[in-house]
Amino acid sequence: MSEKIETLLEALPYIKKFAGSIFVIKYGGAAMEEAHLKKEFAKDVALLKYVGINPVIVHGGGPMIGRLLKDLNIPTRFIDGLRVTDEKTLEVVEMVLAGLVNKEIVKNINDMGGRAIGLSGKDGRLLTAKQVENKEVGLVGDITGVNVDIIKDISKHGYIPVIAPIADGSDGKSYNINADTAAGNIAQALSAEKFILLTDVEGVIGSDGKLISMLRKREIEELVEQKIVTGGMIPKVSCCIDALKGGVQEAHIVDGRVPHAILLEVFTDSGIGTEIIGDE
Amino acid sequence: MSEKIETLLEALPYIKKFAGSIFVIKYGGAAMEEAHLKKEFAKDVALLKYVGINPVIVHGGGPMIGRLLKDLNIPTRFIDGLRVTDEKTLEVVEMVLAGLVNKEIVKNINDMGGRAIGLSGKDGRLLTAKQVENKEVGLVGDITGVNVDIIKDISKHGYIPVIAPIADGSDGKSYNINADTAAGNIAQALSAEKFILLTDVEGVIGSDGKLISMLRKREIEELVEQKIVTGGMIPKVSCCIDALKGGVQEAHIVDGRVPHAILLEVFTDSGIGTEIIGDE
Amino acid sequence: MSEKIETLLEALPYIKKFAGSIFVIKYGGAAMEEAHLKKEFAKDVALLKYVGINPVIVHGGGPMIGRLLKDLNIPTRFIDGLRVTDEKTLEVVEMVLAGLVNKEIVKNINDMGGRAIGLSGKDGRLLTAKQVENKEVGLVGDITGVNVDIIKDISKHGYIPVIAPIADGSDGKSYNINADTAAGNIAQALSAEKFILLTDVEGVIGSDGKLISMLRKREIEELVEQKIVTGGMIPKVSCCIDALKGGVQEAHIVDGRVPHAILLEVFTDSGIGTEIIGDE
Amino acid sequence: MSEKIETLLEALPYIKKFAGSIFVIKYGGAAMEEAHLKKEFAKDVALLKYVGINPVIVHGGGPMIGRLLKDLNIPTRFIDGLRVTDEKTLEVVEMVLAGLVNKEIVKNINDMGGRAIGLSGKDGRLLTAKQVENKEVGLVGDITGVNVDIIKDISKHGYIPVIAPIADGSDGKSYNINADTAAGNIAQALSAEKFILLTDVEGVIGSDGKLISMLRKREIEELVEQKIVTGGMIPKVSCCIDALKGGVQEAHIVDGRVPHAILLEVFTDSGIGTEIIGDE
Amino acid sequence: MSEKIETLLEALPYIKKFAGSIFVIKYGGAAMEEAHLKKEFAKDVALLKYVGINPVIVHGGGPMIGRLLKDLNIPTRFIDGLRVTDEKTLEVVEMVLAGLVNKEIVKNINDMGGRAIGLSGKDGRLLTAKQVENKEVGLVGDITGVNVDIIKDISKHGYIPVIAPIADGSDGKSYNINADTAAGNIAQALSAEKFILLTDVEGVIGSDGKLISMLRKREIEELVEQKIVTGGMIPKVSCCIDALKGGVQEAHIVDGRVPHAILLEVFTDSGIGTEIIGDE
Amino acid sequence: MSEKIETLLEALPYIKKFAGSIFVIKYGGAAMEEAHLKKEFAKDVALLKYVGINPVIVHGGGPMIGRLLKDLNIPTRFIDGLRVTDEKTLEVVEMVLAGLVNKEIVKNINDMGGRAIGLSGKDGRLLTAKQVENKEVGLVGDITGVNVDIIKDISKHGYIPVIAPIADGSDGKSYNINADTAAGNIAQALSAEKFILLTDVEGVIGSDGKLISMLRKREIEELVEQKIVTGGMIPKVSCCIDALKGGVQEAHIVDGRVPHAILLEVFTDSGIGTEIIGDE
């Protein structure tokens, strides 16, 4: 039994270090699909809050959106990884993200003893956006503003904000925002201590095929230039670099398929994914 | 022009009287369907907030739910006016209410200069519920608790809470709540000054076929006994009576088909609907 | 009836725009003499406060002072529009301004549902002054300091400050201050959004004999140079220019003889007097 | 020099005892007439505030009112010690009390390093009243309400409230209030620790012709019954008894002709006047 | 590694349950003597604070006092377990407790990342006392008052109060207080959720010679009556009973010789010592 | 009697001037040894607090330390005025300073009606230090940091902090700090208005053998260069100069052998010691 206590005490330096910090967590992938991973994620988030950290969750919902579009016989296609979004599609996106996925996450966290409040970017004009450069994709937006007051207020009162990446356009329309980008933008606006990207890969893989545990911003930029980091990892890495440039202290790409991935990354020395920090 | 100013000044005694008050407004029916009524409702709510009143919006969404169920080929039926709700149906209800309708109301109010935040009853366990007595209807619930702290907090910070009537069951399930009942319960829990029911009828009609402008609780109870008030008006009247019993000062049944119905009811002497107040 | 509501809603953008703003209003002339105008002014001020604006009233009292001086057989004369003020005269000025006029305004506002508190510049050393350059006028002063803390404090607690322009001299004497100048100085010290001068003329009249609705600071300076603006209007215009230079956003010269002149100027697009704004 | 320090230290137990207390002081008589006594009073009040006591000053102004009435050839008469007050007279009363006397006291205290704010009972509806029973005296009132919030607020922010006893009638009229009574009522409403009446007599004189230093409420009532306390002392004693009944802890009748009478009464064991305390 | 995370998560329900609670811990015995136990105790206390519990430490120091008395050749003797304490002895007690032991505990906790502030009962008159009934023991006292404001204030600002049981007598003398009693009294005054007594025994042993994990107050009283609980355990048990009577929810007698005894008792289901709770 | 009141009023300008100020007082020498001086010091400090000044006491304890070392047969020696301090000696220093002297001062102030809280530099890491340059003296430190939050917090809540100059080393060791230096450092860190050094000499003596009442920093530096100020006065003067350089407004060297030396220095024009102020 005393081994358990030792474990508890091993967490103490990390608890101390992060007391009062803001962690913006992009939640998605397997961790949001598989029942047991969902529960474990909710538990992790509740624990973070109880030990004095302020987690802010930003979630996607791709697969569920695809499913409902299919059920409704609405065809869908992607350009450069962005879903082409007309008004009908956006309505589905919003229903799934803000109505279904968001509230399920909220409920899971509440069931684990946390106190979560779900918000879409429309609530209190939390997120404002303009259309992305490529107009062909339709109602897909780039974030132009984050109303951090609401997030801070909710966090200060003991709640965990859970955010669906729908934004208010200055043109009166609504926009679908890529969840990774939204999370990165929110982390910047909050000057978060950590920006954690939950994904379905192990992390950044080096030229030797092995996971890289820690990298400086400069190093990851080189890996991209050298085409060692490629494909779907590039936008994720970009989000991290942007967040670091914007004042976030540490970005993490973590494997959401591993149970309790967040706690493992936060409360152990080596972590399990890739940590990216600033250039000195 | 000076007539306009006179009108502005006529509102002064009402503004004075209601400064700092909470008005819980059940939003539904035509006012939530027709484009111009939606805008006018949003404007009214923003104005109430600007003149120092704290509106709290609780909304339904029946027709939109019906439409999506139909699009998804999910059959639906009603027992005693309650939609029989299985898990699949509840998912649709939640998507429509919390994802679509709620966020549209939020956006409309924000577009009119207010600052709204949308919540479902799951957010911060705002609403808890248990299954209604008639178990045949499935996941339809009666409210057992209201977390007023969140609502008050949001109101105090200048925001207008917009609430979708989905609740957390103590049995771990989610429940669909009748919006009228949810609004009445929230009004009670907040000890609201006014509980306003927007409907698609003129108000309570007396035995002479004319609209009754004001009634005591006792009088409306008599009208029900005498079967002068019947049909769909009975549950609405019951909500009002319950609210008054629970400490709300005035309940109003107002015709949502009339533009600016709320302002007319609040800022003019006669009002346009039926006001029900306590006995004596 | 619904027209009335439309009017109410027309005010919404103005209410929104000015929520939390400070308006310093110089109150004097006919609006302070005629019984019905006094009541209407009090009503206007109460309404401003109820819709979230913080009015600060600074008043004169020339005619009433003249009357009491006459009743007491104290001769009085003016140099360049300033009343030559010996100790005996100052005593009368103070009695009339701080004792009679100030408290009547306070009572009128309170009777209209506002909550006013009357202060002279001596209270809490609200206004400090030194003798004007022309020593012949005796105890007439220029303001050297404004204790804005009291005004802000009173405003924050929901009260409307009503200020009589008597000031404490650093030489231990008391000084009579021109009410227009006092109001302008207070507006500057508070960085008020609006400085409104209630007068007994329509506003600034252009070379074509017509009222000018809006002017830039530079333009009004030109009108003075070109002697189009002359006589008693010059000191009023100077107060406005000084206020704008000192950080006030908009100055208004408004006809106090028109009922509800303030509301008309604030809540309608064209206004009824002359608005002077900064250059550029 | 060290004797001076000893004196300072002798005051310590009194300073300790009264830290944070409210003292309501009725100011009038010689102490308000003679130049050097006025300065000394102001100094005393400033000192009380600096050592942590919250003085609240309520003042009369009889002789100055009489003088102005005479200068204006307005005849005046008294019934049972109350000045018969018509509208013209009330105007003079108000000008003298709120305009002249109040602001002079404020200035004196400010000159001595205190920070005073003068108020009439009309300010923020501080005092409300109804006509006294004997309608012949005209606009003379009995206090029906005290708005203690303003007084406490002003005190809390470091200011010394100075109150002129003019009140707002619920009938829309203004009323002149006897200053002793006003002070007693304000002391009650504030649950003041001390109520100090500055008068032009030594204090309560016993049957042996000597000053009585301390009395219980019951004892003073007996002295009145036995006609040992008579004449003008009776209303003063009544104010004290009412104040004690209303929750004030100690009432003092002090000789205002003695320089620094207040400090002597407060900071020395024997005091110089008569202290009246509750029974038991 | 993931086992460690599981352990962390097992603590979550306890962390949740005790968030914001006050735990008064009597620190003494082996846990205060042995170097490694001292460090572990300090670590435990720091962890409790970091997970949202407010620990308040009350310590003894018997052995160190005995050593210094011996070094100074001051003879010492005990009556009924209480050290006979003359002025000379009290001086030594105070030096050791407040100067040496208290500051060592403070330093240990600070070194482990907590923020402790050491106080004796004299600081801010935290503890007041009167002499115990048996006057032969000299300056040994019973607590008559606890100034909980200081403790709460220090706790609220993130510090851990560490209290040496020396008290101020109302007779001007200082008193030595039994640390167990002092801790029990402080727990009562704070209405602590838990009162934890660290001792050098396993806990309460039943008639079968086995440790009893949980007992009701009534049951422990019976064990004392039946002489199953005897000797030095009786005063410890009495402290716990008094604390429970005074509003503490749970009392614990825990073996301080076991590393991390406090965490084991608090964060595991069975605990390691004896928990005493109230009679339903 | 009225002379006493005059004295009280003479203090008013000083009370006004210093309201809200922080005075850091180094307490030591005769004022800490002789029974009547101890009481008078405690009274002075309590009075300062009651009239709105925030005294912070830093004390030494040399003679008592020497006595206990002798009683324990621990030899001691000094290098350049610093006591050579090994671990055994430091333990004695800490016991005497934090356990005995500190708590006696606290008790004396409390007995005089003040509310004191005693702290050592270890409490809340109030003082951090590193070893002095001359390593031969052992555990003697120079201050590297002052945690002013604790001091301000305690002061704000009405308590008087009394500080024993023991500090936490960044090397994990504890350090003895010269009390004069500690007091000067604390005064700097707090930007105190006054730094008062209580000593056993009259003050700074000029070349004419007479006490100098006031000096600029530059002048005192010249006196040191000219060897007019010599010996034990040099480190005291240095502390004052450092404090002035660090933002303290006035430093005082005062004769602690004179009863009420602090009050005499603070509340009289000439003072009794030497005041050192900045160079214009």
Side-chain angles (χ1 to χ4, degrees), chain E residues 56-119:
Chain E
V56 174
I57 314 304
V58 182
H59 63 86
M64 296 74 152
I65 293 167
R67 247 171 271 145
L68 186 60
L69 285 172
K70 207 179 139 200
D71 287 354
L72 289 165
N73 296 315
I74 301 175
T76 194
R77 68 194 174 93
F78 290 80
I79 300 177
D80 292 339
L82 297 174
R83 186 191 301 275
V84 178
T85 308
D86 58 11
E87 292 221 356
K88 190 94 203 116
T89 304
L90 185 70
E91 204 166 88
V92 170
V93 167
E94 205 171 349
M95 282 198 297
V96 172
L97 286 188
L100 206 65
V101 177
N102 186 272
K103 298 316 170 195
E104 192 195 359
I105 301 169
V106 163
K107 189 172 191 313
N108 285 341
I109 295 174
N110 289 349
D111 285 350
M112 290 305 163
R115 297 191 301 153
I117 285 183
L119 297 170

Side-chain angles (χ1 to χ4, degrees), chain F:
Chain F
M1 183 157 22
S2 127
E3 280 161 41
K4 290 192 174 177
I5 293 303
E6 288 300 333
T7 301
L8 211 60
L9 285 162
E10 270 175 44
L12 181 56
Y14 297 99
I15 291 175
K16 254 181 65 185
K17 186 177 165 194
F18 296 124
S21 297
I22 297 173
F23 288 11
V24 174
I25 302 169
K26 157 62 206 312
Y27 179 43
M32 214 167 85
E33 290 278 307
E34 289 175 36
H36 76 104
L37 290 175
K38 287 198 240 184
K39 292 234 161 89
E40 279 155 359
F41 172 80
K43 230 179 189 169
D44 290 8
V45 167
L47 183 73
L48 290 180
K49 190 75 183 182
Y50 271 104
V51 298
I53 294 164
N54 294 305
V56 174
I57 313 304
V58 183
H59 63 86
M64 297 74 150
I65 295 166
R67 248 170 273 148
L68 186 61
L69 287 170
K70 210 180 136 199
D71 288 354
L72 290 164
N73 296 317
I74 303 174
T76 194
R77 65 189 175 95
F78 290 81
I79 298 177
D80 293 340
L82 297 174
R83 186 191 301 274
V84 178
T85 307
D86 57 10
E87 292 222 355
K88 189 97 201 112
T89 303
L90 186 70
E91 204 167 88
V92 170
V93 167
E94 205 170 349
M95 281 199 296
V96 171
L97 286 188
L100 206 63
V101 176
N102 187 272
K103 298 316 172 198
E104 192 195 0
I105 301 169
V106 163
K107 187 169 192 312
N108 285 340
I109 295 175
N110 288 350
D111 285 349
M112 290 303 162
R115 297 193 299 155
I117 285 183
L119 299 168
S120 103
K122 286 184 179 173
D123 291 309
R125 288 241 149 101
L126 178 52
L127 300 177
T128 44
K130 58 167 199 220
Q131 200 180 8
V132 295
E133 260 181 53
N134 183 352
K135 308 299 178 202
E136 279 179 78
V137 296
L139 297 169
V140 179
D142 282 331
I143 285 180
T144 54
V146 178
N147 178 352
V148 291
D149 288 349
I150 305 178
I151 304 178
K152 287 186 176 166
D153 223 65
I154 282 175
S155 284
K156 203 181 61 187
H157 283 82
Y159 294 100
I160 299 162
V162 177
I163 302 169
I166 305 292
D168 246 12
S170 51
D171 55 5
K173 292 178 186 164
S174 301
Y175 285 97
N176 183 14
I177 311 289
N178 176 274
D180 292 359
T181 318
N185 276 280
I186 290 169
Q188 274 182 58
L190 289 165
S191 296
E193 271 72 15
K194 280 191 188 297
F195 167 47
I196 301 174
L197 255 169
L198 272 193
T199 64
D200 287 354
V201 296
E202 259 188 282
V204 175
I205 305 297
S207 55
D208 59 355
K210 286 188 186 154
L211 175 74
I212 304 175
S213 280
M214 180 159 336
L215 279 165
R216 293 214 168 269
K217 183 167 69 67
R218 178 179 14 87
E219 293 170 319
I220 190 89
E221 286 167 340
E222 285 164 19
L223 288 179
V224 173
E225 274 170 43
Q226 295 161 14
K227 313 228 165 163
I228 296 167
V229 165
T230 57
M233 184 53 82
I234 287 179
K236 291 189 184 300
V237 152
S238 297
C239 279
C240 293
I241 291 171
D242 285 354
L244 289 168
K245 282 182 183 161
V248 172
Q249 285 172 22
E250 295 162 4
H252 299 258
I253 297 175
V254 176
D255 190 345
R257 296 167 307 181
V258 178
H260 305 303
I262 293 172
L263 296 191
L264 286 167
E265 184 69 13
V266 172
F267 287 124
T268 63
D269 284 333
S270 56
I272 61 155
T274 297
E275 179 178 353
I276 311 172
I277 58 173
D279 299 337
E280 213 128 339

Side-chain angles (χ1 to χ4, degrees), chain E residues 26 54 71 81-82 86 110 141 150 160 163 165 174 176 187 242 260:
Chain E
K26 157 60 207 311
N54 294 303
D71 287 354
L82 297 174
D86 58 11
N110 289 349
I150 305 179
I160 298 161
I163 302 169
S174 300
N176 183 15
D242 285 352
H260 306 302

Side-chain angles (χ1 to χ4, degrees), chain C residues 69-123:
Chain C
L69 286 171
K70 210 182 136 198
D71 287 353
L72 290 166
N73 296 313
I74 301 175
T76 193
R77 66 193 175 94
F78 289 81
I79 300 177
D80 292 342
L82 296 175
R83 186 192 301 274
V84 177
T85 306
D86 58 10
E87 294 221 355
K88 189 95 203 115
T89 304
L90 185 70
E91 204 166 85
V92 169
V93 167
E94 205 171 349
M95 280 198 298
V96 171
L97 287 188
L100 207 64
V101 176
N102 186 271
K103 298 316 169 196
E104 193 195 357
I105 301 169
V106 163
K107 188 169 192 314
N108 286 340
I109 296 174
N110 289 350
D111 285 349
M112 291 304 162
R115 295 191 303 152
I117 285 183
L119 299 170
S120 103
K122 285 185 178 174
D123 291 310

